[in-house]
Amino acid sequence: MNLRRDVFQAIADPTRRAILLLVASQSLTAGAIAANFDTARPTVSKHLQILTECELLAQEQNGREIHYHINAKKMKEVAEFIEPFRKMWDDRFNLLEDIMKEYKTKK
């Protein structure tokens, strides 16, 4: 049975989110990414594998090195999915803020 990785489970992990932030501005090799973490390189490689399987990262072969970079198209899909929820919560917090301001002025 071939289980497909879930993008939201992938980004739920703080190390994987940190990796995404690292490669957001430039492509990096696995070694360069691993150098930023206080963990074993195979652990970082597993995180890279998960992010690649979810298509959040793409790989590019340069000679013997593999560089990882953000897959902007997939990140855009995730952002578009999350946007209605962000708007809903922004609206709710704005309403709560208005209620709290009104409450303060009544005291």
mmCIF file of all heavy atoms in Angstrom, residues 26-53:
data_model
loop_
_atom_site.group_PDB
_atom_site.id
_atom_site.type_symbol
_atom_site.label_atom_id
_atom_site.label_comp_id
_atom_site.label_asym_id
_atom_site.label_seq_id
_atom_site.Cartn_x
_atom_site.Cartn_y
_atom_site.Cartn_z
ATOM 1 N N GLN A 26 17.248 30.848 -0.831
ATOM 2 C CA GLN A 26 18.293 30.322 -1.706
ATOM 3 C C GLN A 26 18.288 28.797 -1.671
ATOM 4 O O GLN A 26 17.888 28.204 -0.679
ATOM 5 C CB GLN A 26 19.677 30.828 -1.279
ATOM 6 C CG GLN A 26 20.095 30.378 0.111
ATOM 7 C CD GLN A 26 21.465 30.897 0.491
ATOM 8 O OE1 GLN A 26 22.281 31.179 -0.378
ATOM 9 N NE2 GLN A 26 21.714 31.019 1.777
ATOM 10 N N SER A 27 18.719 28.193 -2.750
ATOM 11 C CA SER A 27 18.805 26.736 -2.765
ATOM 12 C C SER A 27 20.048 26.312 -1.988
ATOM 13 O O SER A 27 21.066 27.009 -1.991
ATOM 14 C CB SER A 27 18.837 26.206 -4.199
ATOM 15 O OG SER A 27 20.004 26.621 -4.858
ATOM 16 N N LEU A 28 19.921 25.193 -1.298
ATOM 17 C CA LEU A 28 21.010 24.690 -0.453
ATOM 18 C C LEU A 28 21.156 23.189 -0.632
ATOM 19 O O LEU A 28 20.191 22.493 -0.944
ATOM 20 C CB LEU A 28 20.724 24.984 1.018
ATOM 21 C CG LEU A 28 20.656 26.442 1.462
ATOM 22 C CD1 LEU A 28 20.119 26.543 2.881
ATOM 23 C CD2 LEU A 28 22.031 27.082 1.368
ATOM 24 N N THR A 29 22.363 22.707 -0.376
ATOM 25 C CA THR A 29 22.598 21.265 -0.376
ATOM 26 C C THR A 29 22.133 20.693 0.961
ATOM 27 O O THR A 29 21.941 21.434 1.939
ATOM 28 C CB THR A 29 24.090 20.947 -0.557
ATOM 29 O OG1 THR A 29 24.811 21.480 0.566
ATOM 30 C CG2 THR A 29 24.635 21.502 -1.856
ATOM 31 N N ALA A 30 22.000 19.378 1.003
ATOM 32 C CA ALA A 30 21.595 18.720 2.246
ATOM 33 C C ALA A 30 22.604 19.010 3.354
ATOM 34 O O ALA A 30 22.233 19.243 4.502
ATOM 35 C CB ALA A 30 21.453 17.216 2.025
ATOM 36 N N GLY A 31 23.884 19.020 3.022
ATOM 37 C CA GLY A 31 24.916 19.301 4.016
ATOM 38 C C GLY A 31 24.811 20.709 4.573
ATOM 39 O O GLY A 31 24.961 20.924 5.776
ATOM 40 N N ALA A 32 24.546 21.677 3.706
ATOM 41 C CA ALA A 32 24.401 23.068 4.150
ATOM 42 C C ALA A 32 23.163 23.223 5.030
ATOM 43 O O ALA A 32 23.179 23.979 6.007
ATOM 44 C CB ALA A 32 24.324 23.998 2.945
ATOM 45 N N ILE A 33 22.112 22.500 4.692
ATOM 46 C CA ILE A 33 20.899 22.548 5.511
ATOM 47 C C ILE A 33 21.170 21.897 6.865
ATOM 48 O O ILE A 33 20.842 22.467 7.912
ATOM 49 C CB ILE A 33 19.721 21.861 4.783
ATOM 50 C CG1 ILE A 33 19.339 22.667 3.538
ATOM 51 C CG2 ILE A 33 18.524 21.702 5.717
ATOM 52 C CD1 ILE A 33 18.405 21.941 2.582
ATOM 53 N N ALA A 34 21.790 20.729 6.850
ATOM 54 C CA ALA A 34 22.072 19.987 8.087
ATOM 55 C C ALA A 34 22.976 20.775 9.027
ATOM 56 O O ALA A 34 22.866 20.655 10.251
ATOM 57 C CB ALA A 34 22.688 18.633 7.762
ATOM 58 N N ALA A 35 23.856 21.608 8.475
ATOM 59 C CA ALA A 35 24.774 22.396 9.304
ATOM 60 C C ALA A 35 24.035 23.385 10.201
ATOM 61 O O ALA A 35 24.588 23.856 11.195
ATOM 62 C CB ALA A 35 25.767 23.140 8.414
ATOM 63 N N ASN A 36 22.793 23.676 9.881
ATOM 64 C CA ASN A 36 21.993 24.621 10.666
ATOM 65 C C ASN A 36 21.245 23.970 11.825
ATOM 66 O O ASN A 36 20.536 24.662 12.552
ATOM 67 C CB ASN A 36 20.984 25.329 9.755
ATOM 68 C CG ASN A 36 21.652 26.298 8.825
ATOM 69 O OD1 ASN A 36 21.944 27.418 9.201
ATOM 70 N ND2 ASN A 36 21.928 25.856 7.607
ATOM 71 N N PHE A 37 21.384 22.660 11.953
ATOM 72 C CA PHE A 37 20.631 21.933 12.977
ATOM 73 C C PHE A 37 21.566 21.124 13.859
ATOM 74 O O PHE A 37 22.605 20.658 13.420
ATOM 75 C CB PHE A 37 19.596 21.010 12.328
ATOM 76 C CG PHE A 37 18.565 21.756 11.536
ATOM 77 C CD1 PHE A 37 18.724 21.960 10.172
ATOM 78 C CD2 PHE A 37 17.448 22.284 12.163
ATOM 79 C CE1 PHE A 37 17.790 22.666 9.438
ATOM 80 C CE2 PHE A 37 16.501 22.996 11.441
ATOM 81 C CZ PHE A 37 16.677 23.184 10.077
ATOM 82 N N ASP A 38 21.156 20.974 15.092
ATOM 83 C CA ASP A 38 21.926 20.200 16.057
ATOM 84 C C ASP A 38 21.369 18.773 16.108
ATOM 85 O O ASP A 38 20.893 18.305 17.132
ATOM 86 C CB ASP A 38 21.841 20.864 17.441
ATOM 87 C CG ASP A 38 22.864 20.312 18.407
ATOM 88 O OD1 ASP A 38 23.881 19.773 17.941
ATOM 89 O OD2 ASP A 38 22.620 20.406 19.621
ATOM 90 N N THR A 39 21.407 18.128 14.960
ATOM 91 C CA THR A 39 20.877 16.774 14.836
ATOM 92 C C THR A 39 21.697 16.015 13.804
ATOM 93 O O THR A 39 22.468 16.616 13.051
ATOM 94 C CB THR A 39 19.375 16.819 14.453
ATOM 95 O OG1 THR A 39 18.847 15.510 14.468
ATOM 96 C CG2 THR A 39 19.154 17.431 13.102
ATOM 97 N N ALA A 40 21.526 14.712 13.764
ATOM 98 C CA ALA A 40 22.286 13.886 12.828
ATOM 99 C C ALA A 40 21.859 14.160 11.382
ATOM 100 O O ALA A 40 20.691 14.446 11.116
ATOM 101 C CB ALA A 40 22.079 12.409 13.150
ATOM 102 N N ARG A 41 22.802 14.074 10.496
ATOM 103 C CA ARG A 41 22.503 14.335 9.080
ATOM 104 C C ARG A 41 21.426 13.401 8.525
ATOM 105 O O ARG A 41 20.573 13.857 7.760
ATOM 106 C CB ARG A 41 23.790 14.249 8.266
ATOM 107 C CG ARG A 41 23.512 14.423 6.789
ATOM 108 C CD ARG A 41 24.507 15.235 6.093
ATOM 109 N NE ARG A 41 24.115 15.310 4.698
ATOM 110 C CZ ARG A 41 24.942 15.442 3.722
ATOM 111 N NH1 ARG A 41 26.216 15.562 3.956
ATOM 112 N NH2 ARG A 41 24.515 15.499 2.493
ATOM 113 N N PRO A 42 21.417 12.098 8.883
ATOM 114 C CA PRO A 42 20.336 11.239 8.383
ATOM 115 C C PRO A 42 18.943 11.717 8.809
ATOM 116 O O PRO A 42 17.975 11.552 8.068
ATOM 117 C CB PRO A 42 20.646 9.871 8.985
ATOM 118 C CG PRO A 42 22.114 9.884 9.203
ATOM 119 C CD PRO A 42 22.432 11.310 9.596
ATOM 120 N N THR A 43 18.855 12.345 9.974
ATOM 121 C CA THR A 43 17.573 12.880 10.430
ATOM 122 C C THR A 43 17.136 14.022 9.522
ATOM 123 O O THR A 43 15.979 14.093 9.107
ATOM 124 C CB THR A 43 17.676 13.367 11.889
ATOM 125 O OG1 THR A 43 18.122 12.284 12.699
ATOM 126 C CG2 THR A 43 16.357 13.891 12.392
ATOM 127 N N VAL A 44 18.061 14.903 9.186
ATOM 128 C CA VAL A 44 17.757 16.010 8.276
ATOM 129 C C VAL A 44 17.405 15.456 6.894
ATOM 130 O O VAL A 44 16.472 15.936 6.248
ATOM 131 C CB VAL A 44 18.926 17.015 8.202
ATOM 132 C CG1 VAL A 44 18.691 18.068 7.129
ATOM 133 C CG2 VAL A 44 19.136 17.678 9.554
ATOM 134 N N SER A 45 18.104 14.432 6.459
ATOM 135 C CA SER A 45 17.812 13.817 5.159
ATOM 136 C C SER A 45 16.393 13.261 5.122
ATOM 137 O O SER A 45 15.710 13.364 4.096
ATOM 138 C CB SER A 45 18.811 12.699 4.858
ATOM 139 O OG SER A 45 20.092 13.235 4.632
ATOM 140 N N LYS A 46 15.947 12.681 6.226
ATOM 141 C CA LYS A 46 14.576 12.163 6.298
ATOM 142 C C LYS A 46 13.566 13.311 6.174
ATOM 143 O O LYS A 46 12.570 13.194 5.465
ATOM 144 C CB LYS A 46 14.369 11.391 7.610
ATOM 145 C CG LYS A 46 13.010 10.758 7.733
ATOM 146 C CD LYS A 46 12.793 9.689 6.688
ATOM 147 C CE LYS A 46 11.444 9.017 6.883
ATOM 148 N NZ LYS A 46 11.115 8.106 5.801
ATOM 149 N N HIS A 47 13.854 14.429 6.848
ATOM 150 C CA HIS A 47 12.980 15.598 6.728
ATOM 151 C C HIS A 47 12.950 16.102 5.281
ATOM 152 O O HIS A 47 11.885 16.451 4.765
ATOM 153 C CB HIS A 47 13.448 16.726 7.656
ATOM 154 C CG HIS A 47 13.186 16.476 9.098
ATOM 155 N ND1 HIS A 47 11.932 16.221 9.612
ATOM 156 C CD2 HIS A 47 14.032 16.450 10.159
ATOM 157 C CE1 HIS A 47 12.009 16.053 10.920
ATOM 158 N NE2 HIS A 47 13.276 16.183 11.283
ATOM 159 N N LEU A 48 14.102 16.131 4.629
ATOM 160 C CA LEU A 48 14.177 16.567 3.239
ATOM 161 C C LEU A 48 13.380 15.626 2.333
ATOM 162 O O LEU A 48 12.693 16.069 1.405
ATOM 163 C CB LEU A 48 15.629 16.650 2.768
ATOM 164 C CG LEU A 48 16.460 17.761 3.399
ATOM 165 C CD1 LEU A 48 17.926 17.606 3.023
ATOM 166 C CD2 LEU A 48 15.939 19.132 2.998
ATOM 167 N N GLN A 49 13.456 14.339 2.612
ATOM 168 C CA GLN A 49 12.710 13.356 1.837
ATOM 169 C C GLN A 49 11.205 13.599 1.960
ATOM 170 O O GLN A 49 10.480 13.591 0.963
ATOM 171 C CB GLN A 49 13.049 11.945 2.315
ATOM 172 C CG GLN A 49 12.266 10.859 1.607
ATOM 173 C CD GLN A 49 12.502 9.485 2.215
ATOM 174 O OE1 GLN A 49 13.281 9.319 3.144
ATOM 175 N NE2 GLN A 49 11.817 8.492 1.680
ATOM 176 N N ILE A 50 10.742 13.846 3.178
ATOM 177 C CA ILE A 50 9.323 14.099 3.404
ATOM 178 C C ILE A 50 8.880 15.367 2.675
ATOM 179 O O ILE A 50 7.850 15.386 1.997
ATOM 180 C CB ILE A 50 9.018 14.176 4.917
ATOM 181 C CG1 ILE A 50 9.184 12.799 5.539
ATOM 182 C CG2 ILE A 50 7.622 14.746 5.177
ATOM 183 C CD1 ILE A 50 9.197 12.793 7.064
ATOM 184 N N LEU A 51 9.659 16.428 2.795
ATOM 185 C CA LEU A 51 9.313 17.687 2.133
ATOM 186 C C LEU A 51 9.317 17.544 0.611
ATOM 187 O O LEU A 51 8.503 18.152 -0.085
ATOM 188 C CB LEU A 51 10.264 18.801 2.573
ATOM 189 C CG LEU A 51 10.107 19.252 4.026
ATOM 190 C CD1 LEU A 51 11.272 20.136 4.441
ATOM 191 C CD2 LEU A 51 8.775 19.955 4.237
ATOM 192 N N THR A 52 10.221 16.724 0.101
ATOM 193 C CA THR A 52 10.294 16.480 -1.338
ATOM 194 C C THR A 52 9.104 15.632 -1.793
ATOM 195 O O THR A 52 8.495 15.915 -2.830
ATOM 196 C CB THR A 52 11.625 15.793 -1.704
ATOM 197 O OG1 THR A 52 12.708 16.624 -1.263
ATOM 198 C CG2 THR A 52 11.747 15.578 -3.199
ATOM 199 N N GLU A 53 8.752 14.602 -1.015
ATOM 200 C CA GLU A 53 7.602 13.762 -1.362
ATOM 201 C C GLU A 53 6.306 14.572 -1.375
ATOM 202 O O GLU A 53 5.399 14.282 -2.159
ATOM 203 C CB GLU A 53 7.477 12.596 -0.384
ATOM 204 C CG GLU A 53 8.523 11.531 -0.573
ATOM 205 C CD GLU A 53 8.468 10.445 0.488
ATOM 206 O OE1 GLU A 53 7.555 10.473 1.357
ATOM 207 O OE2 GLU A 53 9.343 9.567 0.470
#
